[in-house]
Amino acid sequence: MNRLIKTILLLSICFHFAQGQEERPIFTQDQLLWYIENYHPIAQQGKLLIQQGESSVRAARGGFDPKLFANFDQKQFEDKEYYSILNSGLKIPTWYGLEFKTGFDQNSGVYLNPENKVPNGGLWYGGVSVSLGQGLFIDKRRAALQKANVFASSTVAEQKALMNELYFDAIKQYWKWVQAYNEYRVYEESVSLAVTRFEAVKNSHLLGDKPAIDTLEAKIQVQNRELGRNEYQLAYQNATLELSNYLWFENNTPLEITDELRPPLFDEIELSNTTSFDTLQAYVNAVPNAHPDMQIYQFKLSSLEIERKLKAEKIKPKLNLNYNFLSEPVGDNFLNNVSNQNYKWGIEFSLPIFLREQRGNLQLAKYKIENTAFGQRQKQLEIENKVLSYFNEHVALRKQVDIYRDAVSNYSSLLEGERIKFNIGESSLFLVNSRESSLIEARLKAIALVSKYNISSAGIDYASGRLYK
């Protein structure tokens, strides 16, 4: 897809148009984030994370699926059937550690082991297996499902953390793009003013009103500002390319920002309200539960706690009880001989004498939990301090923005007065250029501060984990 088509795709979705100074559509921050959420490859990876979590739960639930089984073993030698053993049935595991089982045995043969002998019509059985010791409260199957559920929940937090980071990187680049564009416009206007003044001074010199040295000074001023304009133009072009990295469309199609779109002008930028201290405090208080990084730690601790319970269960002795009722089928009635006198049962018991492996594994599981808890507390402190840092920067920058906006107005008035004095011969070209340079510097500073202010405003939401909702 060529550049023109990609630009048309981008323009077709833009809906906000500038009013006043330029008719080109403004590319807004909200539009940028819309593209990222719907088409950016990292955003698609985040969605895959959630799907992986759902698949892990589905796989773990498979441990509780009913299972059909069948075993057949036969030996034939010298025209004799030594034995033919068939065992088939159905196992149904449950969440509570019980396993129900039903099946059918059909065995025959000259040399069949006596314990395998069954009636000629076969033997039906049905019963239950239960763990009364190790595995009564948790086993590998239940632990796997619990951990899968925790993992599925953690993938949502991981996706949120991923998008929170991506959004903030994109917002920072967006405001660098806005800053570069407005800085370039300042120098573009300054070049236009310098060229106009140079022509006026040159004409005045030809009429004998200005000395030749003034034309030279005016020409040098034009050249210096043209150099500055070229530098800012290059910065704007590179910032545009950097921002284009975040723009994608359907079928993994990269988009490009061309001259058909523009950032908002300085006077069009609306500053967000300053975050109040009460709001900040609410954000900080919510960090332990609301921040995706903290949620990931909580899910990690939950998974480790499941592992610890499983290790603790290994300390218990194995005590498994099996019971099956037996019935000889007669015709279609396989429950013909159901009786409390026809049964098969067994018990299994085992316990390591020293339990060194089990106790060692349990202690290791506890150490992992403690280590993760230490990391969680450190991460919480870092997040809270980062939120406070962005808040302090946010408040300070708002004050600086107000000061410099007022300063730009004052520099403009000072320059206008100096121009009037110059036109009536009471000032010099040097002073006019000096006043104009001061105004340019103030405007550039104000633009940079507005960009930093908007980044710091997003930074509070980013640090508190609220940027991606």
Side-chain angles (χ1 to χ4, degrees):
M1 186 175 293
N2 60 39
R3 181 174 179 175
L4 176 60
I5 296 177
K6 288 187 283 186
T7 302
I8 292 173
L9 284 172
L10 183 57
L11 287 174
S12 66
I13 303 178
C14 291
F15 54 85
H16 180 78
F17 291 89
Q19 301 294 327
Q21 299 186 36
E22 293 192 33
E23 292 303 324
R24 289 187 299 162
I26 297 175
F27 187 56
T28 66
Q29 177 179 301
D30 288 341
Q31 291 169 356
L32 170 66
L33 298 182
W34 183 86
Y35 277 101
I36 289 174
E37 181 177 7
N38 288 280
Y39 301 112
H40 197 282
I42 293 180
Q44 303 308 312
Q45 290 174 348
K47 295 175 183 177
L48 287 177
L49 277 175
I50 296 177
Q51 294 173 3
Q52 289 174 10
E54 294 171 349
S55 296
S56 69
V57 173
R58 188 180 301 111
R61 285 175 177 167
F64 296 90
D65 288 346
K67 295 180 181 178
L68 291 170
F69 65 91
N71 299 306
F72 180 71
D73 194 13
Q74 185 181 53
K75 182 178 179 180
Q76 192 83 16
F77 185 69
E78 293 182 348
D79 296 329
K80 291 182 181 180
E81 184 183 57
Y82 274 53
Y83 57 80
S84 176
I85 301 174
L86 171 65
N87 175 233
S88 59
L90 173 68
K91 291 181 180 179
I92 306 175
T94 68
W95 174 256
Y96 300 101
L98 295 172
E99 183 176 81
F100 296 98
K101 183 177 180 181
T102 184
F104 177 74
D105 290 344
Q106 178 70 67
N107 307 327
S108 61
V110 177
Y111 299 108
L112 184 69
N113 193 319
E115 70 177 19
N116 290 329
K117 286 186 177 181
V118 297
N120 293 333
L123 187 67
W124 286 97
Y125 65 89
V128 63
S129 298
V130 60
S131 297
L132 299 176
Q134 187 181 124
L136 178 61
F137 298 107
I138 190 171
D139 53 26
K140 286 185 178 180
R141 218 164 20 199
R142 281 177 280 178
L145 181 54
Q146 290 177 17
K147 291 171 74 172
N149 283 319
V150 170
F151 174 70
S153 299
S154 71
T155 56
V156 177
E158 288 176 11
Q159 188 237 11
K160 188 176 179 181
L162 195 70
M163 293 299 296
N164 195 54
E165 194 77 33
L166 179 61
Y167 268 23
F168 190 52
D169 289 342
I171 288 172
K172 287 189 291 185
Q173 189 56 50
Y174 176 81
W175 286 106
K176 289 179 181 178
W177 178 61
V178 174
Q179 177 181 345
Y181 176 73
N182 281 278
E183 288 173 341
Y184 167 63
R185 280 185 58 86
V186 167
Y187 258 85
E188 195 171 37
E189 292 172 8
S190 72
V191 168
S192 178
L193 291 173
V195 169
T196 301
R197 185 177 302 111
F198 169 68
E199 294 296 333
V201 171
K202 184 172 67 173
N203 291 334
S204 296
H205 168 66
L206 294 176
L207 295 173
D209 293 335
K210 300 291 181 183
I213 194 170
D214 279 357
T215 61
L216 179 59
E217 182 176 350
K219 181 63 176 178
I220 292 173
Q221 190 69 18
V222 170
Q223 293 171 334
N224 287 334
R225 292 185 180 177
E226 285 178 339
L227 287 173
R229 180 185 62 183
N230 290 341
E231 291 178 3
Y232 281 102
Q233 184 179 25
L234 176 61
Y236 170 58
Q237 290 171 342
N238 289 338
T240 302
L241 292 174
E242 290 291 332
L243 186 60
S244 295
N245 290 334
Y246 294 93
L247 292 173
W248 295 79
F249 201 59
E250 294 175 351
N251 301 319
N252 293 324
T253 304
L255 299 178
E256 297 177 6
I257 300 176
T258 69
D259 292 337
E260 303 300 324
L261 295 173
R262 68 173 178 88
L265 299 175
F266 181 76
D267 293 336
E268 296 170 333
I269 298 173
E270 295 183 3
L271 298 180
S272 60
N273 295 327
T274 304
T275 303
S276 67
F277 184 78
D278 290 340
T279 301
L280 171 73
Q281 197 61 47
Y283 285 176
V284 172
N285 293 338
V287 162
N289 297 317
H291 197 285
D293 288 347
M294 298 306 298
Q295 291 173 349
I296 291 172
Y297 265 104
Q298 291 171 1
F299 291 129
K300 187 180 295 185
L301 285 171
S302 296
S303 182
L304 290 174
E305 179 61 20
I306 294 169
E307 191 66 25
R308 185 201 66 78
K309 289 180 179 179
L310 185 60
K311 300 296 185 185
E313 194 75 6
K314 297 291 185 180
I315 299 291
K316 300 177 182 178
K318 285 185 178 179
L319 182 60
N320 300 326
L321 178 64
N322 303 297
Y323 177 85
N324 294 295
F325 69 85
L326 305 175
S327 174
E328 179 185 0
V330 176
D332 295 332
N333 187 358
F334 66 91
L335 296 176
N336 182 62
N337 293 327
V338 174
S339 169
N340 57 8
Q341 301 299 316
N342 300 326
Y343 63 86
K344 176 184 176 183
W345 78 285
I347 189 168
E348 177 188 2
F349 174 83
S350 67
L351 176 67
I353 295 176
F354 299 112
L355 294 171
R356 286 181 290 194
E357 179 184 357
Q358 291 80 0
R359 288 187 287 111
N361 289 335
L362 177 59
Q363 195 62 48
L364 287 174
K366 292 179 179 178
Y367 288 151
K368 288 181 181 179
I369 291 175
E370 290 181 14
N371 185 57
T372 303
F374 286 138
Q376 182 187 38
R377 287 192 287 271
Q378 176 63 29
K379 187 66 176 180
Q380 180 177 338
L381 179 62
E382 291 175 359
I383 291 173
E384 290 174 353
N385 286 337
K386 183 181 286 188
V387 175
L388 293 172
S389 175
Y390 274 114
F391 174 77
N392 292 336
E393 183 180 8
H394 177 70
V395 173
L397 284 171
R398 184 54 193 258
K399 294 178 181 177
Q400 294 178 36
V401 167
D402 293 339
I403 290 172
Y404 261 88
R405 278 184 163 179
D406 188 51
V408 168
S409 178
N410 292 334
Y411 276 119
S412 297
S413 299
L414 196 61
L415 174 61
E416 186 60 30
E418 202 66 47
R419 284 174 178 167
I420 294 173
K421 291 171 63 179
F422 177 74
N423 290 335
I424 62 177
E426 294 183 1
S427 181
S428 65
L429 182 61
F430 173 80
L431 286 176
V432 172
N433 288 335
S434 177
R435 301 294 190 199
E436 201 166 74
S437 295
S438 296
L439 175 60
I440 291 172
E441 291 177 5
R443 290 180 66 187
L444 293 176
K445 183 66 175 179
I447 291 169
L449 288 172
V450 167
S451 176
K452 290 180 180 178
Y453 173 80
N454 282 291
I455 291 174
S456 70
S457 181
I460 296 175
D461 289 332
Y462 158 72
S464 57
R466 297 172 176 272
L467 195 55
Y468 175 75
K469 300 177 182 178

